Amino acid sequence: RLLDLKATDITDACVEDLMKMSKLEDLSVAGTKISGESLKKLAKMPSLKQLNVANTSASSDVIDEIYNAREDLEVTEFEN
């Protein structure tokens, strides 16, 4: 249910495989090269409850779009 891909070499090419993980609840892609468009796709996963996008290329517009689409999804934009 938890997948921590923080600071790994994953890219947008991995998104389709991640989308197949139907029980995934907590995903960290912090510090990866995942694009904002792919983050929007990942945010649509019904089982996902937490998404860490810190230190990605996601713009504030993308983050806002995710927040507005999924009020039940906790999105982490910054890490200490």
Side-chain angles (χ1 to χ4, degrees), residues 10-68:
I10 65 162
T11 64
D12 292 343
C14 302
V15 170
E16 293 306 317
D17 289 328
L18 292 172
M19 299 282 295
K20 294 175 186 174
M21 297 180 172
S22 62
K23 296 185 181 190
L24 187 61
E25 293 181 0
D26 188 342
L27 175 62
S28 176
V29 292
T32 66
K33 296 179 181 174
I34 296 281
S35 71
E37 288 304 310
S38 288
L39 291 173
K40 289 193 283 187
K41 288 180 186 177
L42 290 170
K44 292 179 183 177
M45 295 174 65
S47 61
L48 201 61
K49 296 178 181 171
Q50 296 183 336
L51 179 62
N52 185 334
V53 300
N55 301 313
T56 64
S57 64
S59 68
S60 58
D61 289 343
V62 167
I63 302 298
D64 288 345
E65 197 171 322
I66 292 171
Y67 275 128
N68 291 333

